[in-house]
């Protein structure tokens, strides 16, 4: 049973993942701080390059299975045209202004 993105507990995470699922790159970056960072499987990545490759140019889509830590730690089924579908873990850091300043993702 999945958790609908619009039902996620944390509003910043809800905005970010809503942008992923709607394919809205502008909304995605608006949900991030200007200096946001990310890591994939424990390695820091260039955020803009990773997002374009793994989400927007490959039609990424996320279906959340569980949430913890007030909605800032998720297990989700993620799929895109490059890798297919995989179980992933996501952890988000939210800045005081309500935008995501860092996220970690990787296989769960």
């Amino acid at each position: 049973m999945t958790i609908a993105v619009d039902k996620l507990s944390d509003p910043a995470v809800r905005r970010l993942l809503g942008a992923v699922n709607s394919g809205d790159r502008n909304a995605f970056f608006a949900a991030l701080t200007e200096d946001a960072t990310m890591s994939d499987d424990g390695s820091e990545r260039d955020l803009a390059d990773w997002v374009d490759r793994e989400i927007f140019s490959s039609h990424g889509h996320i279906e959340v299975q569980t949430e913890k830590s007030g909605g800032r730690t998720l297990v989700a089924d993620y799929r895109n045209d490059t890798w297919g579908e995989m179980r992933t873990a996501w952890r988000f850091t939210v800045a005081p202004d309500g935008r995501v300043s860092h996220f970690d993702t990787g296989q769960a």
Side-chain angles (χ1 to χ4, degrees), residues 67-73:
E67 69 170 350
K68 295 180 183 174
S69 304
R72 294 183 181 179
T73 300

Side-chain angles (χ1 to χ4, degrees), residues 36-99:
T37 58
M38 64 85 53
S39 64
D40 183 5
D41 284 327
S43 296
E44 291 294 317
R45 307 289 184 182
D46 178 274
L47 186 132
D49 176 63
W50 188 91
V51 165
D52 284 337
R53 185 180 64 255
E54 300 292 338
I55 298 175
F56 296 108
S57 69
S58 61
H59 308 104
H61 187 85
I62 191 164
E63 291 184 5
V64 177
Q65 302 300 314
T66 64
E67 69 170 350
K68 295 180 183 174
S69 304
R72 294 183 181 179
T73 300
L74 309 175
V75 172
D77 291 332
Y78 184 77
R79 70 178 180 271
N80 66 26
D81 293 346
T82 303
W83 304 108
E85 186 168 313
M86 66 190 90
R87 182 65 49 110
T88 55
W90 299 77
R91 289 168 306 284
F92 299 90
T93 303
V94 177
D97 70 357
R99 294 184 294 162

